[in-house]
């Protein structure tokens, strides 16, 4: 949101946010790799960005939540067998 407030657009290049790589940024505890992309149904990244956390290592055994996604529209989803509210 800080990037958006300064640039009036979102970004999928995580280096624009101070990370050393554009995608597959490890979470602090390295349980997830973080990527950014345009939201489904959005024409451009300027209107919506989606962050996805892909489980790594032992976290991959968590098939209930599996991948966690969050959009700039405050939409939270998971790709596992549990509901979004169970995981978020």
């Amino acid at each position: 949101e800080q990037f958006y407030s300064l640039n009036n657009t979102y970004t999928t290049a995580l280096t624009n946010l101070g990370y050393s790589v554009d995608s597959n940024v490890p979470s602090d505890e390295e349980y997830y790799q973080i990527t950014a992309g345009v939201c489904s149904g959005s024409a451009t990244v300027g209107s919506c960005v989606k962050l996805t956390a892909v489980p790594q290592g032992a976290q991959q055994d968590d098939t209930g939540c599996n991948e966690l996604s969050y959009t700039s529209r405050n939409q939270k989803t998971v790709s596992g067998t549990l509901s979004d509210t169970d995981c978020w």
Side-chain angles (χ1 to χ4, degrees), residues 50-63:
K50 177 181 178 180
L51 299 176
T52 301
V54 179
Q56 302 295 302
Q59 193 66 32
Q60 291 174 317
D61 294 335
D62 178 10
T63 58

Side-chain angles (χ1 to χ4, degrees), residues 4 8-12 37-50 72-73:
Y4 185 88
N8 202 33
T9 189
Y10 293 105
T11 182
T12 58
V38 177
C39 297
S40 299
S42 292
T44 67
V45 72
S47 60
C48 186
V49 68
K50 177 181 178 180
S72 56
R73 295 178 179 154

Side-chain angles (χ1 to χ4, degrees), residues 6 10 18-19 28 30 42 45 64 76 78 83 87:
L6 295 172
Y10 293 105
Y19 295 99
D28 289 342
E30 298 187 3
S42 292
V45 72
K76 301 173 185 176
V78 299
S83 72
C87 297

Side-chain angles (χ1 to χ4, degrees), residues 11 24 79:
T11 182
N24 296 321
S79 66

